[in-house]
Amino acid sequence: MRVLVVEDEERLARTVQRGLELEGFVVQLAHTGTDGLWAAVEDSFDVIVLDIMLPGLSGYEVLRRLRARDVTTPVLMLTAKDGDYEQADALDLGADDYLTKPFSFVVLIARLRALLRRRAPQQPVLLTAGDLVLDPARRTVRRGETALTLTPREFGLLEFLLRHKGLALTKIEILRNVWDAHYDGPENVVEVYIGYLRKKIDAPFGSTSIETLRGVGYRMVDPGWSGDGQVDDESGSAPR
């Protein structure tokens, strides 16, 4: 899930970014209202965390312009202003939720997940490929009755593949949605993590869930899928 955090306090923004990434989110930061508005209009996000007191344009003005342009991305206002009128103004302008500083990170995560559930009620509660089951809410993965332990990056990669089951996904698409929109490192990090996943979700069970499409990318499939993909044994190393 991709999150835009518009916050001018850089230390707080980085702290929120690190925390969200540990929960499996892909986070992009903006430190001014102008930059935040541009990012929200030009790119696609699942949810936006927006401060009110921002240089350039206030959070109120960013929100007003977003809604005027029919950008319907859920917005959670994160601010030190805790008055009733401030909250009412934000909600009237189109905010979906409001959280005041200082805040509990546990509550922030819970509210973001609630916004995501309301935005996409059609998405299944559980993501599956055969007897491989991922529960996004509980952050658990199992193959049949066996619970699997994944790193946050592995979990995010598996969730992205399962949400797009049956579709061919390029390395660039995977990097953009699981790593970072501005990731500029080597693309083969995707191959490395695909290898990590296969060793945990497939190899011990004699299963093949992830196809390698030569020259294209990867595809998550159900058992018995009949496609033209080729599965390679990919290996490598990358920091976890």
Side-chain angles (χ1 to χ4, degrees):
M1 299 292 103
R2 304 190 68 235
V3 182
L4 172 64
V5 176
V6 189
E7 168 61 62
D8 64 324
E9 296 180 39
E10 294 196 21
R11 184 175 179 180
L12 174 60
R14 294 293 180 187
T15 299
V16 171
Q17 180 183 31
R18 287 193 297 272
L20 291 177
E21 288 176 343
L22 287 174
E23 292 293 324
F25 292 91
V26 175
V27 183
Q28 181 171 329
L29 298 180
H31 300 298
T32 70
T34 304
D35 290 344
L37 176 62
W38 183 88
V41 170
E42 295 298 320
D43 211 337
S44 176
F45 297 93
D46 295 289
V47 65
I48 298 171
V49 177
L50 179 64
D51 190 19
I52 287 180
M53 302 298 290
L54 293 167
L57 297 172
S58 71
Y60 289 136
E61 183 61 17
V62 171
L63 181 59
R64 186 189 69 77
R65 295 191 188 189
L66 286 177
R67 297 310 187 224
R69 299 186 189 192
D70 293 324
V71 176
T72 60
T73 308
V75 173
L76 183 149
M77 305 298 284
L78 183 62
T79 178
K81 288 180 170 288
D82 60 356
D84 291 342
Y85 288 105
E86 284 80 7
Q87 294 186 42
D89 287 343
L91 295 170
D92 286 343
L93 284 169
D96 299 271
D97 203 351
Y98 194 106
L99 190 60
T100 58
K101 306 174 187 175
F103 59 90
S104 162
F105 193 77
V106 172
V107 173
L108 172 63
I109 291 293
R111 292 195 176 188
L112 290 180
R113 294 199 185 282
L115 290 177
L116 292 169
R117 287 195 299 271
R118 291 202 294 270
R119 179 174 175 80
Q122 75 281 3
Q123 292 184 346
V125 175
L126 300 178
L127 303 174
T128 65
D131 64 349
L132 177 66
V133 181
L134 181 147
D135 186 332
R138 292 182 173 85
R139 306 286 295 173
T140 60
V141 181
R142 59 183 170 83
R143 169 74 77 178
E145 298 302 317
T146 304
L148 305 178
T149 301
L150 304 182
T151 66
R153 186 75 73 191
E154 291 166 352
F155 187 95
L157 175 57
L158 180 59
E159 181 175 3
F160 183 68
L161 292 171
L162 285 169
R163 288 193 184 279
H164 299 83
K165 186 172 67 176
L167 300 179
L169 301 169
T170 66
K171 291 179 183 178
I172 294 297
E173 288 173 322
I174 293 172
L175 286 170
R176 181 179 178 82
N177 287 278
V178 181
W179 270 258
D180 186 275
H182 303 292
Y183 176 82
D184 59 359
E187 291 184 11
N188 68 356
V189 70
V190 176
E191 298 174 14
V192 173
Y193 275 86
I194 289 290
Y196 291 157
L197 272 185
R198 284 175 172 155
K199 290 176 182 177
K200 291 185 177 183
I201 70 173
D202 282 341
F205 307 96
S207 299
T208 301
S209 300
I210 305 172
E211 284 189 341
T212 296
L213 306 176
R214 298 186 190 280
V216 179
Y218 302 93
R219 175 167 55 199
M220 174 66 68
V221 298
D222 280 313
W225 168 273
S226 178
D228 57 0
Q230 298 291 325
V231 178
D232 296 331
D233 287 328
E234 291 168 331
S235 61
S237 60
R240 295 194 178 214

